[in-house]
Amino acid sequence: MSYKTYIIIIGFLAISLTVFSQSPTFRHYTVNDGLPSSEVFHVIQDSKGYIWFATNMGVSRFNGYEFENFDIQDGLPDNTVFEIYEDFKGRIWFIPFSCRLSYYYNDSIYQFPYNEKLIKCIKKPKPVKLSFYVDTLETVYFGIYAEGIIKITHKGMIERLFYDISEWVNIYIVDDIKPLISSTNSTFIKQSLSVFDNILNIKNKYNLENHPWIYPLIAIMNQKSELIFSNDKIIHKINSENHIISKKYNEVIIWLSYDRNMNLWLGSLKGGVLYYKNGNFFSDYCKHYLINKSVSSVLEDNEGGFWFSTLQNGVYYLPSLNFQTYTKNDGLPNNQVNSIAIGNDKRIWIGTNDSYVSLIKDSSIKIYKLSKDPSEVVSTLLLNNCNNLVVGTNRYSYLIKNTKILKIKNNHPITVKKNNMPGPLRTISILQDKTGNYLIGGTFGFTKICGNNVIYSSFYDDKFMNRVNSIFEKEDGSLLLGCLNGLWKYENKKYYYLGDTNKILKTRILDIKKCDYDNKIWLGSKGAGILIIDNDTIYQITKKDGLTSNSITSLFIDKNIVWAATNNGLNKIKLKNSKNLDYKIETYTTINGLASNEIKQVIVRDSNVYLASNEGLTVFDFTKVHPNNVPPPIYITKFKIMDKDTLLKSYYELPFHQNFISIDFVGLAYKNAGNLTYKYKLEGAGNNWVKTKNTQVQYPSLSPDKYTFLVIAQNEDGVWSEKPASVSFIINPHFWKTWWFILLSFTLIFIIVIFLYTVRIRNIKKRNELKGELIKIRQQALSSQMNPHFIFNSLNSIQNFIIENDKLSSNLYLSKFASLMRKVLNNSQKQTISLQEEIEALTLYIELEAMRFKDKFQFIINVDKNLNIELINIPPLILQPYVENAIWHGLMHKDCNGLLKIDFVLENNYVICCIEDDGIGREKAMEIKKKKQQTYKSLGTNITKKRLDLFNLLHQSEMQVVFHDLKDKNGNAIGTKVEIIFSVH
């Protein structure tokens, strides 16, 4: 059916909104938790899984951990936001009181570009709830009180739809799925209904004076294309045949919506919220929540939890509709329930932490007062074989039969001295044995009562005074006693401590039950989990195996299901095999809907579970409670570089020094109240997943590389995210580790190597040339020292000595000459010789010349004592040419005897050889040389200079020769001084 426009009347039947019912356990969020305001108009869940709230102080986005709030400072045009809507593109629209629209997209808020144009078209802006829509052409439809329905195209063209002052209410259906509703004026009218052309119209009969209140309008549509809408206190339904039926309530209706199962939720002003099964609001409502609260919207989220926004009290969250709790608000005398008992007639007995017992039957509560003593407290309840209630307190035991309360004598007149005061036998557990007698466990053992007489007292009769928490009767009549110090057995009037046979049985035992399915005895312990006795074998189930706690307060066994209540939730243990201990554990906590995790007792009847806790009596049908199989979506919310926020992207490229990375993430699962488990890994730094409860990971010093961060979340029932949230980034290496620098470096190195190779080859070639020339020069030097003139003169001298018959001188000269020739030849084969060898050869040469010139001169050779002449090396054949010059050109032309002085000194890592003569000087020597026509020309000094130059170039040394002309004070030549300088290596 295709609807166009409806104009509807007000004024039908009314019903009461208040009946007695138990209440669920809500999680309550207020401004103290982060909401910006207690006045919340609307709640939605977006396509990503975030929960959004429209409030009187802006909008808020909730991720299960914290509220992220947005107001005018963040881009909203108005802080009072009535509604939130998500369009087909994922934009989150905000519909405020001022009708100035805005939307949230890609982490930013943008204002609607045609706001000013829209405001000019309306007189009194006030949006209608749930009357906003954006189609796939980005056309905006907007219902406004007393203004009709406005249509704005994506190009800004504005049109008013079906606006007629004669029709008080307009309803327009967009795309056959979305009803939009508005009123045309604020006049209270009396109307009549007419139908024509498949359009419903209600015409004015007459107008009254303006009414000060514009009644709330809400329109929704169900799967049958039936239109449901409300105005003021009336809800209307129009079927496909345009038949209208209506119903009136006592309170103003401010919300209508369907959940996934097409159940109808009706929120009212100060009347709470009503729940109608299958949307049939003409039948009695199924549940009534948040009585006296103004419920402005209801949302069923992706996990099946329900959110309720209110106008004064913030937001309420209900994880499940299946959990209900009886509390003091429902008529119980106390929220702290210590024990429960349920009869076959489905009557529920409740013992609270006082002297009252309550009976719930047929939605009514009847209370029994046991004692006037305010210190007397109910501790345990038992329905006996006659379905009468036996009550144990910290003082006495009672029997409630019909409406009478009878006191049971549960002990002898015992006097237990404690501070010299008598102490009563406190009742902790009660069991009716096979003979019908009551076995009452207490603080000082247990007693057996027949009728109203004590027939046995463990304290009096056997001096057994252990605290008995639980009593179990075996088939053979023996008793198992769960005591403070472990498990005891009472058989044939004797007590056996089973803790001696197995130390694990020394743990405090709080409850004992037998499982007929596997024929084993199950023990609930305080601290050791569940202990299972199978003949001589004892099994143990603990927190490591999946229990919510190791302290078991109560056990209940129904066929192959063992229910274990603890101080931290309820455990359902389903046995899979009667022979082996094969089982599966499911847990229930406040996350699922329990009023408290601290459970004192559990009883199961049919499929209903009854739990006694400090927050009341919780009841739920476990067949309707299913695991949360919704994979939690997960998102990366922050990417910090060097502890600074940055724009969120899927990929980052960072320099090497920005290697301190911090990543925030969040999984969206609201039942677990933000207490999710996460697994993450950083590909590039390892492939192992790491578990955490934190929502932030830091990497303080990452080395240059490519990385991908992956994270997934796990909900309370162990379901992981379908796909991980991820972010990739690369930390670039230092520029000298980049490929282009390495390539450039290799290219440069290659060029340098080629260059060095070329230079090296050139140097080697040059060096070889230098060596060749050096060898040639050295040969010339050798020829210089062994020139025919010298040898001829030396031989003549030997001949003269022989002629003169001077055998001694001839032999001495010949010997020295032979030694000099041998040294010269040996030294000429070496690149360098020691200074000592040079001095020895030089001495032989001078001695020969002195003998040949018949002592024409004297010579002195001095060596610095700091010189180690054996370790200092110099080129061979270097000094002799300068000594030869001193003798031949300086001393030989002197009329008198001369002096040749040679000194070797060490100065600043240099060896200085000073050759000094007192001859005629270089100037006169040159004059004589020019005048004489010599047949022999000495080339020794020139050759030596060339050798020194080549040697310095080849060996990078610093040898040099310096000449000094010696003169007296009158400027007359008195000799020559030559300094040959060697560097010490």
Side-chain angles (χ1 to χ4, degrees):
M1 174 181 178
S2 175
Y3 292 93
K4 295 298 181 183
T5 308
Y6 295 97
I7 298 94
I8 307 299
I9 302 192
I10 305 176
F12 287 89
L13 209 39
I15 63 169
S16 170
L17 291 176
T18 58
V19 294
F20 168 78
S21 69
Q22 64 273 28
S23 303
T25 301
F26 289 95
R27 197 180 299 158
H28 191 196
Y29 295 101
T30 67
V31 291
N32 294 330
D33 302 297
L35 271 175
S37 172
S38 295
E39 193 172 2
V40 184
F41 301 108
H42 194 206
V43 54
I44 73 161
Q45 185 173 30
D46 66 19
S47 56
K48 290 184 175 181
Y50 288 97
I51 304 294
W52 288 85
F53 304 100
T55 81
N56 194 35
M57 292 293 177
V59 295
S60 183
R61 188 175 74 166
F62 186 53
N63 59 19
Y65 292 87
E66 59 187 358
F67 294 86
E68 184 180 8
N69 300 323
F70 305 89
D71 57 16
I72 292 176
Q73 300 300 320
D74 301 296
L76 289 179
D78 188 350
N79 272 350
T80 302
V81 179
F82 285 157
E83 184 183 351
I84 304 176
Y85 173 84
E86 183 176 13
D87 68 10
F88 70 99
K89 292 177 67 175
R91 295 177 296 185
I92 311 298
W93 290 79
F94 307 125
I95 298 89
F97 179 79
S98 66
C99 290
R100 295 179 183 271
L101 302 174
S102 60
Y103 58 86
Y104 179 90
Y105 192 62
N106 289 336
D107 298 324
S108 298
I109 293 178
Y110 302 90
Q111 294 197 16
F112 187 51
Y114 308 116
N115 273 338
E116 298 306 320
K117 194 173 182 180
L118 172 64
I119 296 303
K120 289 180 181 180
C121 294
I122 56 180
K123 296 178 181 179
K124 294 181 179 180
K126 183 179 180 182
V128 179
K129 197 73 165 285
L130 296 184
S131 192
F132 183 87
Y133 183 74
V134 180
D135 66 17
T136 54
L137 298 176
E138 298 195 40
T139 301
V140 174
Y141 299 86
F142 198 3
I144 303 174
Y145 281 102
E147 296 286 346
I149 297 168
I150 307 297
K151 175 182 176 182
I152 310 108
T153 68
H154 72 283
K155 292 184 177 181
M157 299 296 294
I158 297 179
E159 178 184 356
R160 197 183 302 269
L161 303 177
F162 301 105
Y163 183 70
D164 187 347
I165 61 172
S166 65
E167 299 172 351
W168 190 53
V169 176
N170 296 161
I171 299 178
Y172 178 66
I173 311 299
V174 185
D175 295 338
D176 291 333
I177 58 170
K178 176 64 178 178
L180 304 175
I181 188 170
S182 75
S183 61
T184 57
N185 58 58
S186 59
T187 305
F188 185 81
I189 55 177
K190 197 171 183 180
Q191 302 156 323
S192 64
L193 177 66
S194 63
V195 180
F196 59 93
D197 294 335
N198 294 326
I199 299 177
L200 285 174
N201 299 281
I202 298 178
K203 300 294 184 179
N204 294 338
K205 280 190 174 180
Y206 52 87
N207 291 339
L208 301 178
E209 62 184 21
N210 288 343
H211 195 276
W213 171 260
I214 300 177
Y215 295 108
L217 297 170
I218 295 179
I220 60 174
M221 185 177 286
N222 62 23
Q223 291 177 337
K224 298 178 182 179
S225 296
E226 294 175 328
L227 183 66
I228 311 294
F229 65 98
S230 68
N231 181 267
D232 192 22
K233 300 179 181 180
I234 302 176
I235 184 171
H236 312 276
K237 178 178 178 180
I238 303 175
N239 61 22
S240 59
E241 298 176 353
N242 288 334
H243 291 159
I244 181 169
I245 53 177
S246 304
K247 183 177 182 178
K248 187 175 182 180
Y249 291 88
N250 292 332
E251 305 294 341
V252 175
I253 300 169
I254 59 176
W255 179 259
L256 291 173
S257 66
Y258 288 104
D259 61 23
R260 290 197 190 94
N261 297 316
M262 295 310 295
N263 303 308
L264 181 66
W265 292 87
L266 186 152
S268 63
L269 193 66
K270 298 183 179 179
V273 61
L274 298 178
Y275 170 79
Y276 290 96
K277 194 74 173 177
N278 299 321
N280 185 8
F281 60 88
F282 288 99
S283 64
D284 292 335
Y285 57 81
C286 295
K287 300 181 187 298
H288 187 187
Y289 298 137
L290 301 173
I291 300 172
N292 300 324
K293 302 288 191 302
S294 296
V295 179
S296 56
S297 70
V298 179
L299 166 71
E300 183 183 10
D301 65 23
N302 296 335
E303 299 173 277
F306 286 84
W307 300 80
F308 305 88
S309 63
T310 70
L311 296 183
Q312 298 91 16
N313 303 97
V315 176
Y316 293 85
Y317 171 73
L318 187 61
S320 174
L321 299 179
N322 295 315
F323 292 82
Q324 306 297 325
T325 301
Y326 293 92
T327 64
K328 192 173 181 179
N329 293 332
D330 303 303
L332 293 182
N334 197 317
N335 281 348
Q336 191 170 339
V337 178
N338 292 337
S339 184
I340 51 178
I342 302 174
N344 296 328
D345 54 0
K346 296 185 178 180
R347 293 190 301 170
I348 304 172
W349 293 92
I350 302 173
T352 49
N353 198 46
D354 47 32
S355 58
Y356 295 95
V357 174
S358 303
L359 173 63
I360 300 178
K361 184 181 180 183
D362 299 330
S363 299
S364 63
I365 295 180
K366 185 176 182 179
I367 299 175
Y368 296 85
K369 186 174 178 61
L370 301 175
S371 171
K372 294 181 180 179
D373 184 356
S375 65
E376 189 167 0
V377 173
V378 176
S379 56
T380 186
L381 301 178
L382 170 72
L383 282 169
N384 64 16
N385 298 335
C386 299
N387 208 31
N388 295 318
L389 185 69
V390 181
V391 182
T393 74
N394 60 340
R395 298 292 184 188
Y396 303 98
S397 296
Y398 300 88
L399 176 66
I400 299 179
K401 188 175 183 180
N402 297 326
T403 58
K404 294 181 181 181
I405 301 176
L406 305 174
K407 184 181 290 187
I408 298 175
K409 185 179 181 182
N410 64 350
N411 59 342
H412 290 295
I414 307 170
T415 301
V416 180
K417 290 187 177 180
K418 184 177 181 182
N419 298 326
N420 297 321
M421 295 293 291
L425 178 64
R426 177 183 177 185
T427 301
I428 299 174
S429 59
I430 304 176
L431 174 71
Q432 190 172 23
D433 65 14
K434 297 174 182 177
T435 62
N437 297 324
Y438 295 120
L439 303 177
I440 299 178
T443 50
F444 303 101
F446 76 97
T447 59
K448 181 182 291 188
I449 297 175
C450 181
N452 198 26
N453 295 313
V454 176
I455 61 175
Y456 173 77
S457 169
S458 68
F459 180 85
Y460 267 112
D461 299 333
D462 291 315
K463 306 303 179 185
F464 182 83
M465 60 185 71
N466 255 317
R467 177 189 177 104
V468 177
N469 300 310
S470 181
I471 305 174
F472 176 77
E473 184 181 17
K474 300 181 71 175
E475 293 178 356
D476 58 6
S478 62
L479 301 178
L480 292 178
L481 307 176
C483 299
L484 188 66
N485 64 342
L487 186 65
W488 289 78
K489 184 177 182 180
Y490 179 67
E491 185 178 25
N492 298 326
K493 299 182 180 181
K494 290 185 179 180
Y495 290 89
Y496 301 94
Y497 183 42
L498 301 185
D500 290 333
T501 61
N502 194 316
K503 65 179 182 179
I504 199 170
L505 296 178
K506 293 182 178 181
T507 308
R508 183 176 178 179
I509 305 298
L510 299 180
D511 201 4
I512 306 173
K513 293 290 189 301
K514 182 182 178 182
C515 179
D516 293 329
Y517 178 76
D518 60 6
N519 204 32
K520 298 179 178 63
I521 303 297
W522 290 59
L523 310 177
S525 74
K526 188 172 184 178
I530 296 174
L531 307 177
I532 305 167
I533 301 177
D534 182 13
N535 297 322
D536 295 331
T537 304
I538 296 179
Y539 300 98
Q540 186 179 17
I541 302 176
T542 66
K543 199 172 178 180
K544 293 180 180 178
D545 304 303
L547 293 180
T548 56
S549 173
N550 288 328
S551 293
I552 312 300
T553 55
S554 173
L555 292 170
F556 188 91
I557 302 179
D558 181 18
K559 298 178 182 178
N560 67 324
I561 298 178
V562 179
W563 297 87
T566 74
N567 65 326
N568 192 34
L570 177 67
N571 302 268
K572 175 187 172 187
I573 306 170
K574 187 174 182 179
L575 302 175
K576 298 180 180 180
N577 192 312
S578 60
K579 295 181 181 179
N580 301 321
L581 190 62
D582 187 10
Y583 56 87
K584 178 183 178 182
I585 298 179
E586 294 180 17
T587 62
Y588 303 84
T589 65
T590 53
I591 293 171
N592 305 97
L594 300 187
S596 171
N597 284 336
E598 190 176 0
I599 305 170
K600 296 184 176 181
Q601 188 181 359
V602 56
I603 294 179
V604 180
R605 287 289 183 270
D606 298 327
S607 61
N608 290 323
V609 180
Y610 301 83
L611 303 174
S613 75
N614 288 334
E615 299 297 332
L617 171 67
T618 298
V619 183
F620 69 94
D621 185 346
F622 73 86
T623 63
K624 296 181 180 179
V625 179
H626 305 290
N628 181 8
N629 293 319
V630 179
I634 186 165
Y635 302 100
I636 293 183
T637 57
K638 287 183 181 179
F639 190 89
K640 292 184 178 180
I641 304 170
M642 305 305 291
D643 208 27
K644 293 182 180 180
D645 284 334
T646 185
L647 182 66
L648 199 58
K649 300 186 295 185
S650 60
Y651 177 77
Y652 298 84
E653 187 168 352
L654 307 175
F656 69 91
H657 62 277
Q658 293 186 352
N659 61 346
F660 179 16
I661 304 300
S662 177
I663 303 173
D664 289 19
F665 46 85
V666 64
L668 303 181
Y670 300 97
K671 284 189 176 182
N672 208 10
N675 187 24
L676 277 71
T677 299
Y678 296 91
K679 284 198 308 186
Y680 68 89
K681 67 177 178 178
L682 185 65
E683 292 181 349
N687 291 318
N688 295 328
W689 289 94
V690 180
K691 276 192 175 183
T692 184
K693 287 285 187 179
N694 298 324
T695 58
Q696 185 188 74
V697 175
Q698 290 186 342
Y699 297 98
S701 183
L702 289 172
S703 58
D705 208 339
K706 292 181 179 179
Y707 298 97
T708 298
F709 178 80
L710 303 170
V711 60
I712 55 177
Q714 182 188 45
N715 69 11
E716 70 280 2
D717 288 317
V719 178
W720 290 96
S721 306
E722 286 185 335
K723 61 179 182 179
S726 65
V727 59
S728 298
F729 58 97
I730 181 171
I731 298 177
N732 288 318
H734 295 73
F735 73 91
W736 57 84
K737 294 183 180 180
T738 55
W739 67 268
W740 59 266
F741 183 83
I742 293 173
L743 180 61
L744 181 63
S745 299
F746 272 116
T747 303
L748 185 60
I749 290 172
F750 179 76
I751 293 172
I752 292 173
V753 168
I754 294 299
F755 175 76
L756 292 178
Y757 177 78
T758 304
V759 172
R760 176 65 175 167
I761 294 299
R762 187 183 302 129
N763 288 340
I764 291 174
K765 189 180 294 184
K766 185 176 180 180
R767 186 181 182 86
N768 289 336
E769 290 175 355
L770 291 175
K771 284 183 178 180
E773 192 167 349
L774 186 60
I775 292 172
K776 181 179 178 182
I777 296 298
R778 192 168 62 200
Q779 289 175 345
Q780 291 177 355
L782 176 62
S783 299
S784 172
Q785 282 194 299
M786 300 182 66
N787 62 75
H789 183 67
F790 170 73
I791 295 173
F792 178 77
N793 289 336
S794 296
L795 293 176
N796 281 337
S797 297
I798 294 171
Q799 184 180 18
N800 290 332
F801 287 131
I802 294 173
I803 293 173
E804 294 176 0
N805 201 21
D806 190 350
K807 295 180 180 180
L808 181 60
S809 295
S810 63
N811 288 335
L812 179 60
Y813 195 95
L814 184 60
S815 175
K816 288 182 182 294
F817 179 75
S819 297
L820 176 60
M821 292 299 104
R822 185 169 59 251
K823 283 185 179 294
V824 169
L825 290 174
N826 288 337
N827 292 344
S828 66
Q829 304 301 317
K830 302 175 183 177
Q831 292 288 338
T832 60
I833 61 173
S834 66
L835 184 57
Q836 180 178 354
E837 291 175 313
E838 181 70 10
I839 292 174
E840 289 175 354
L842 192 61
T843 302
L844 287 173
Y845 170 74
I846 296 173
E847 288 177 346
L848 286 175
E849 292 289 66
M851 290 179 65
R852 188 164 68 88
F853 291 114
K854 300 186 183 298
D855 296 324
K856 177 71 175 176
F857 65 91
Q858 294 180 344
F859 69 94
I860 301 173
I861 298 177
N862 297 318
V863 179
D864 193 334
K865 64 180 180 179
N866 294 321
L867 275 176
N868 191 337
I869 58 177
E870 294 180 355
L871 298 180
I872 297 173
N873 293 326
I874 63 172
L877 311 176
I878 289 293
L879 301 181
Q880 186 270 339
Y882 300 101
V883 173
E884 180 182 352
N885 278 346
I887 295 173
W888 285 16
H889 302 293
L891 296 176
M892 289 301 99
H893 297 292
K894 189 177 180 181
D895 296 334
C896 58
N897 290 340
L899 177 64
L900 176 64
K901 183 179 179 183
I902 302 174
D903 295 319
F904 293 91
V905 297
L906 179 64
E907 291 185 6
N908 299 325
N909 289 328
Y910 288 94
V911 176
I912 301 174
C913 175
C914 295
I915 302 173
E916 183 180 344
D917 64 81
D918 57 354
I920 63 174
R922 288 193 301 165
E923 292 181 0
K924 287 186 178 182
M926 289 297 293
E927 292 176 1
I928 294 172
K929 191 174 180 180
K930 289 178 180 180
K931 292 177 181 180
K932 291 179 66 175
Q933 298 297 321
Q934 295 184 5
T935 60
Y936 162 73
K937 185 176 181 180
S938 176
L939 300 175
T941 56
N942 292 331
I943 294 172
T944 301
K945 185 177 185 309
K946 289 182 181 180
R947 282 188 64 208
L948 287 178
D949 292 339
L950 289 173
F951 191 87
N952 286 337
L953 186 62
L954 188 62
H955 296 285
Q956 301 297 314
S957 60
E958 299 178 0
M959 296 176 61
Q960 55 181 315
V961 179
V962 180
F963 290 89
H964 300 278
D965 294 319
L966 303 179
K967 296 181 179 182
D968 59 14
K969 60 182 179 179
N970 296 321
N972 298 319
I974 58 173
T976 304
K977 181 178 179 182
V978 181
E979 291 182 342
I980 301 98
I981 303 172
F982 307 92
S983 59
V984 178
H985 297 290

